[in-house]
Every structure is written in structure tokens, then in C-alpha cells.
Amino acid sequence: MKKLLLPLITACSITLISANASAQILSIASPPQGSVWNTMSNGIANVGRSKANINLVVQPYSGNRAMMDAVNQGLAEFAINDVNDAIVAVQGVADYKGKKRSHLRVALRISPQPIGIFVRQDSGINRIEDLKGKRVASGWNAFPIGRPHMEAMLATGGLTWDDVKNIPVPDLIRAADNLSSGRLDATYFAVGGPKVAEVDASVGGVKFLPVKADQSALNAVLKIRPAFYFSEVKPAPHLVGIDKPTQMLTWDNVLIVNDKVSDENVYQLVKAILENKEALIQIFPGFKALAVNTPNKNYPGIQYHPGAVRYFKEKGLWEK
């Protein structure tokens, strides 16, 4: 009888372990609702659940530093971030000075992400240089990545924080609300962000300011972060504030993952994202820029998760 029970108990144990593994809930840390990253995170969670059977939920945090700390500590498994911010987090410099977030890895280069300073359509502000003496969003205590982003865009017009009126804001959403209410002349957002459309409707129109995309401007922004570049953004229905081809400061959106997340989970999520582009576009049009043919780059100072590397190598997409 004991000989018969042992295999049965073993089989039941394996079944329970498998069930528990499949029921494991993984989370994507994101900024608050209304941001591009929150919208993208919800799209990825949806595809992860429906296409890869990964139980993913989106957990909002106050901003990028809180998100990176959550992933580094294992409180969340994934997060979308500007690769520049992930690099300085791993190195323990800039806004992360004093502690290296050594458990962060890249799972996937998702897409280029143009950003821009935007103003009211009737503001009379048409260039970065026109911001001199204007009320510009600053501080960014809850969203510290806002400081280097704004600093870099101001630098393309030869401006520094000393050239503008610094109006402290905690984060992107509050800054956009302050522009809408008239407390600010300028703030910034990711192009295509839902919040930009909301402000546009409330004030009768907004516009993004172009950056100078010459070598001098590039040299200036690379002194601030190592992986900025410029790209041209063309008008599209979901890109509020872009009415003509416009040069924008750009970074790469990357999916960051804790290094302890299993290779299989990372492999399956990367596979689900790259092989279901159309499903993602239905959720958020910004996924039209999903880098299915160039899902990795050799970024300085940060490594890729081995589960992601396995997928890239299988598909002939590994660039390193």
C-alpha cells in the first residue's frame, strides 16, 4: 500500500507546485494613470496574461525612482523606464547617488520615446529660446527623472535653469494640471501621452516646441545623460500637439526586470510582446513604434536578463 501511495503523493505534489507557479502574480511598476508608461504597462500586462499565461498586474508608484527601487528590491518584477535612468540607477549616481541598484536588468528595448516641452497654443512661445524668463516646471521631487529631461531640452536652446522662472512641481500629472490652470507657461511630457490630450481639450490647444538637432545640441544633451538622441516626429491622430514634422529629444523605452525573475518568465513575456504587436496597438497606438526588429542595443553600464538573451538569440536578434 505504501508503495502505491508514494507515487501518488509525489504526483500530487508536482501538480500543486506547478499550479502555484502558474498562479504566481507578477507586477509591473508604473507611474500614475494618465502617463504613457502606465498605459503601455497595462497593454503589456494584458498581452502577458492573454498570450503567455503570465499573471501580470500594474502597480502605480509616484515616479521613476520609486519604480526602480521597487524592482531592485523585488517588490515589483518589471517596469518601463527611460534607459538613461536605468543606467544611472545601476551605477548609483545622479538621482540614485549613494546606492547602486545592482539587481536591475534590461529585458527588452521597447521603442523610441520622443519627449518635448509643450505650451498653450496661444502662448506666443514657439522655440526653446522663447522660454527665457517664463514659468517652467522644475523640482520634480516625486518624479526626479524630470530634472535631467527638462535640463537637456533647455540646453538645446542654450538655456539653463537660471534662465527661466523655476516653478516647483512634484510630477508630470501635476505639472500638466498646472499648465492647464495657468500656473505654468511650460512643462514637458512624452509625445502621445493621454494627459497631453486632456490639457489640449481644456485650454483650446497645445503645441510641442521643437529642439535644435545639430551636433552642438547633441553634445550638450549627452553631457546630461549618455543615451539621448534626436528623432523626427510626424503628425498622427494620437500625437496631440504635433502639427508638422518636429525634431524631438528622444530616449529608448526599455522593460526593466529584477535579475531574480526566472528566465522562463522573462523569455515568455518578451516573446509575447514582440509577437503580438497588433494586439498591443489596439490597446495603445504608441505601440506602432515597437522595435520588433531591433529589440536590443548595447547600452553602457547595464546588462540584459539571460531569459531575454535566450529569446533574441533563438530569433537571430541578438546584437551584442
Side-chain angles (χ1 to χ4, degrees):
M1 185 68 176
K2 288 182 179 179
K3 290 182 178 179
L4 290 173
L5 284 174
L6 185 58
L8 180 61
I9 292 170
T10 302
C12 289
S13 299
I14 292 171
T15 301
L16 286 171
I17 291 169
S18 299
N20 287 336
S22 63
Q24 181 185 13
I25 298 175
L26 305 181
S27 64
I28 306 177
S30 89
Q33 187 175 3
S35 66
V36 167
W37 286 343
N38 181 274
T39 306
M40 293 175 70
S41 296
N42 277 287
I44 287 173
N46 184 294
V47 165
R49 290 190 298 266
S50 62
K51 305 297 184 181
N53 198 30
I54 299 174
N55 198 355
L56 273 172
V57 297
V58 176
Q59 178 63 51
Y61 285 81
S62 60
N64 58 295
R65 186 163 56 197
M67 290 157 49
M68 291 299 92
D69 283 342
V71 176
N72 187 65
Q73 295 167 19
L75 302 176
E77 284 72 30
F78 300 95
I80 298 173
N81 199 4
D82 168 6
V83 68
N84 290 283
D85 193 63
I87 290 169
V88 296
V90 170
Q91 294 173 340
V93 298
D95 293 321
Y96 300 89
K97 188 174 182 179
K99 181 182 178 182
K100 295 181 179 180
R101 276 63 173 182
S102 57
H103 294 294
L104 302 181
R105 300 290 184 269
V106 177
L108 175 68
R109 174 182 180 250
I110 300 173
S111 60
Q113 180 58 68
I115 61 171
I117 294 175
F118 73 105
V119 298
R120 295 170 68 124
Q121 189 70 248
D122 60 2
S123 65
I125 300 170
N126 298 304
R127 307 175 304 157
I128 299 292
E129 293 91 327
D130 296 337
L131 293 172
K132 189 170 184 177
K134 301 297 184 181
R135 299 169 300 165
V136 174
S138 67
W140 304 99
N141 289 338
F143 193 68
I145 197 174
R147 290 191 287 269
H149 286 172
M150 286 293 289
E151 184 180 352
M153 287 182 284
L154 289 172
T156 66
L159 301 181
T160 70
W161 289 114
D162 292 335
D163 296 310
V164 299
K165 292 181 181 177
N166 289 238
I167 306 298
V169 298
D171 56 37
L172 283 170
I173 303 301
R174 189 73 62 82
D177 287 338
N178 286 351
L179 180 68
S180 183
S181 66
R183 296 186 182 95
L184 282 175
D185 296 312
T187 185
Y188 93 102
F189 219 91
V191 177
K195 189 67 177 181
V196 179
E198 179 186 316
V199 176
D200 179 79
S202 72
V203 303
V206 298
K207 58 185 175 184
F208 279 99
L209 303 180
V211 298
K212 288 182 179 178
D214 57 22
Q215 189 60 48
S216 176
L218 182 60
N219 291 341
V221 302
L222 290 179
K223 289 179 181 177
I224 298 167
R225 288 293 185 271
F228 280 140
Y229 57 100
F230 299 123
S231 67
E232 184 180 78
V233 177
K234 296 180 180 179
H238 69 289
L239 301 182
V240 174
I242 302 291
D243 60 3
K244 59 185 176 183
T246 304
Q247 289 290 332
M248 312 294 291
L249 184 69
T250 306
W251 75 68
D252 283 343
N253 282 322
V254 292
L255 184 64
I256 297 298
V257 59
N258 181 282
D259 63 354
K260 299 297 191 296
V261 177
S262 74
D263 290 4
E264 184 63 19
N265 275 334
V266 175
Y267 175 94
Q268 292 297 338
L269 184 57
V270 169
K271 174 182 170 69
I273 294 169
L274 292 178
E275 296 182 10
N276 290 280
K277 182 174 180 177
E278 290 305 316
L280 286 165
I281 292 171
Q282 292 301 312
I283 298 169
F284 176 53
F287 278 115
K288 290 178 181 178
L290 181 64
V292 292
N293 296 317
T294 54
N296 62 90
K297 281 185 179 178
N298 187 5
Y299 299 117
I302 191 167
Q303 301 176 36
Y304 279 83
H305 192 286
V309 174
R310 175 185 146 205
Y311 179 83
F312 299 146
K313 286 183 175 179
E314 282 185 7
K315 300 299 180 181
L317 296 170
W318 183 236
E319 294 294 329
K320 287 195 173 184

